[in-house]
Amino acid sequence: MSTVIEQVRAREILDSRGRPTLEAEVVLRGGATGWAAVPSGASTGSFEAHELRDGDKARYGGKGTLQAVSNILTVLAPEIVGLDALDQVGLDRRLIAIDGTPNKSRLGANALLGVSLATAHAASAALGLPLFRYLGGPLATVLPVPCFNVVNGGAHADNNVDIQEFMIVPVGAPSFREALRYGAEVFATLRGVLHDQKLGTGIGDEGGFAPDLKSNQEALDLLVQAIEKAGYRPGADIAIALDVAATELYKDGQYHFEQQALSAAEFIAALAKWVDSYPIVSIEDGLAEDDWEGWQQLTERLGGRVQLVGDDLFVTNRSRLQKGIDLGVANAILIKVNQIGTLTETLETIALAGRHRYRSMMSHRSGETEDVTIADLAVATRCGQIKTGSLARSERVAKYNQLLRIEEKLGDSAEYLGQRAF
Ligand SMILES: C=C(OP(=O)(O)O)C(=O)O
Ligand SMILES: [Mg+2]
């Protein structure tokens, strides 16, 4: 069956926030097709690849994606028709060259990513392989530990706590299927705990609860209560992970947190206190995207005890990660395909991280679609960890459900690392 690209299609669709994004389809000469939809962030890092928006205020307040769609159809498609979909690296290099800018601002990283991922899907379909197997080969056997974001704050929910994500992490589960059950049971129990304390059970952008709490620490206490009430041991069965998203708190060299303006050292001390008191295994973006000195201190202080993940800090970008490695900053990287804009660059970043013993956590965006590619990518790369929201919004649950299917397909070969993933 020919794997030569014959046709590329694209259109504007909506994401889980009701905002426009785009999807792309790639059709191969032999008849196989691939499809991918592009996610979109809210707390975006300044160094992310450029997401092209139309700017026409009369449509979606200027947030439309028709220009990016048109760039796929009229600029990228004529150049890639005739290329072999099996040569993912060649295709992605070509996309980058056609755009010609360092951050994909001419054609849009959203345009490039749609084509890049849809091509991988088409190639795997042509070979009759699931995407995780096509990209990962025979060693794609590790199911990621899911980090369920059960309390949403910061930029993902209005009027509540400063910290963006409070996640529960089933490190003691024996398999992915059981990890999903642990998570869903604690999530259901948390609903009851909130209800009993007359706290709101409405949800935020990633499907976690967004109650109006007095403090960030109250969220940690609620998590521990829910874990225990559901019959699990905090730490041993279910640990906690945070995404502070501290870039959002940072202004004029200080961290604005709970009505105080803190220096990096003071903010690190506050985080360290939580690490002392709660079963925290991972802290993402504990400090801001450009506070490299603060990050060095944070890594010295806590890097030996917990995973420190760079999201806005590294933006899935090899050069930013290399700088972090050189400076001894963080010990893990968050992986978001649309922060960098092609599959090849995503895989290269994960490989660089691995060579330097930095762990990788696969991640969704706060604006998502029904596309589940990241589930397959997590398994293909053996990264061992994924965060893709809570258990109450279909665009999040879809990824977890895809992991169930993959686990089933792998049968006895499936591995779940639990605590060893951190
Ligand atoms: C998933 C996240 O949010 P967003 O997509 O809004 O950047 C994050 O910050 O890790
Ligand atoms: Mg983040």
Side-chain angles (χ1 to χ4, degrees):
M1 182 189 269
S2 170
T3 51
V4 169
I5 296 174
E6 185 171 76
Q7 198 190 357
V8 183
R9 302 189 193 122
R11 67 187 62 86
E12 184 176 72
I13 59 168
L14 291 184
D15 73 11
S16 55
R17 275 192 280 250
R19 294 187 194 152
T21 183
L22 65 83
E23 65 180 14
E25 287 167 32
V26 167
V27 184
L28 307 187
R29 205 167 280 167
T33 64
W35 166 87
V38 175
S40 176
S43 65
T44 47
S46 334
F47 303 97
E48 295 194 15
H50 184 73
E51 180 184 76
L52 191 66
R53 297 283 175 182
D54 294 341
D56 171 7
K57 291 267 186 275
R59 290 189 77 252
Y60 295 115
K63 300 285 186 198
T65 56
L66 293 183
Q67 185 59 51
V69 167
S70 162
N71 290 344
I72 292 178
L73 298 176
T74 63
V75 185
L76 295 174
E79 296 273 348
I80 65 165
V81 164
L83 298 186
D84 187 349
L86 291 179
D87 181 11
Q88 184 75 39
V89 172
L91 172 99
D92 287 338
R93 298 257 184 279
R94 189 76 166 263
L95 296 177
I96 292 165
I98 301 166
D99 174 79
T101 65
N103 66 344
K104 307 182 176 71
S105 57
R106 189 171 84 86
L107 302 177
N110 39 353
L112 270 62
L113 182 67
V115 175
S116 178
L117 293 180
T119 302
H121 278 284
S124 69
L127 296 177
L129 292 172
L131 187 67
F132 76 92
R133 177 75 78 204
Y134 167 61
L135 293 175
L139 283 180
T141 51
V142 174
L143 273 297
V145 176
C147 302
F148 302 111
N149 180 10
V150 294
V151 174
N152 295 183
H156 294 169
D158 295 330
N159 307 322
N160 67 343
V161 288
D162 301 326
I163 289 191
Q164 183 176 286
E165 301 172 23
F166 293 85
M167 293 170 271
I168 51 171
V169 188
V171 289
S175 64
F176 179 80
R177 172 171 289 278
E178 283 296 273
L180 194 56
R181 180 174 69 83
Y182 285 22
E185 288 177 2
V186 174
F187 185 64
T189 307
L190 179 59
R191 187 191 299 275
V193 169
L194 292 169
H195 190 263
D196 291 349
Q197 299 184 21
K198 306 220 171 344
L199 291 163
T201 52
I203 59 173
D205 286 357
E206 297 188 352
F209 299 115
D212 222 343
L213 303 176
K214 286 188 288 296
S215 68
N216 290 274
Q217 191 163 330
E218 193 184 353
L220 289 167
D221 289 331
L222 286 164
L223 254 52
V224 171
Q225 281 173 46
I227 292 167
E228 285 176 339
K229 201 163 172 213
Y232 295 102
R233 295 164 300 167
D237 296 322
I238 302 188
I240 292 174
L242 301 176
D243 180 3
V244 179
T247 305
E248 303 282 322
L249 311 175
Y250 194 61
K251 219 174 276 150
D252 305 324
Q254 292 194 300
Y255 291 87
H256 297 265
F257 184 70
E258 298 189 336
Q259 281 85 50
Q260 287 178 289
L262 304 177
S263 67
E266 288 167 331
F267 197 54
I268 292 166
L271 294 175
K273 226 163 139 191
W274 284 352
V275 172
D276 289 339
S277 319
Y278 297 92
I280 294 172
V281 287
S282 179
I283 301 176
E284 178 185 329
D285 280 354
L287 293 176
E289 62 189 5
D290 258 338
D291 188 2
W292 294 96
E293 269 176 43
W295 266 98
Q296 279 179 312
Q297 292 168 33
L298 173 66
T299 311
E300 268 165 41
R301 178 90 180 259
L302 291 178
R305 295 176 60 193
V306 291
Q307 174 171 279
L308 298 171
V309 187
D311 170 15
D312 291 352
L313 180 73
F314 294 144
V315 290
T316 317
N317 180 306
R318 261 190 311 168
S319 318
R320 303 254 327 160
L321 175 60
Q322 187 62 57
K323 180 170 176 180
I325 291 165
D326 294 343
L327 292 175
V329 152
N331 54 30
I333 179 171
L334 201 74
I335 299 296
K336 291 167 165 170
V337 281
N338 80 321
Q339 279 183 330
I340 192 68
T342 63
L343 177 57
T344 298
E345 290 166 289
T346 305
L347 298 175
E348 286 171 344
T349 300
I350 296 170
L352 176 65
R355 283 200 295 281
H356 294 272
R357 296 184 175 276
Y358 275 52
R359 287 178 288 264
S360 293
M361 183 190 284
M362 193 60 60
S363 173
H364 65 160
R365 296 310 303 247
S366 51
E368 267 294 335
T369 69
E370 61 273 34
D371 185 305
V372 298
T373 304
I374 59 167
D376 284 73
L377 270 185
V379 179
T381 59
R382 293 178 69 91
C383 69
Q385 310 174 21
I386 192 169
K387 68 165 195 176
T388 181
S390 88
L391 299 126
R393 290 181 61 128
S394 298
E395 77 280 3
R396 319 286 152 185
V397 177
K399 279 71 161 171
Y400 297 127
N401 285 344
Q402 173 70 356
L403 287 163
L404 284 179
R405 290 179 204 110
I406 295 174
E407 186 175 51
E408 186 182 291
K409 213 167 261 158
L410 286 168
D412 288 346
S413 305
E415 299 171 72
Y416 180 79
L417 300 181
Q419 193 79 53
R420 285 176 296 144
F422 292 89

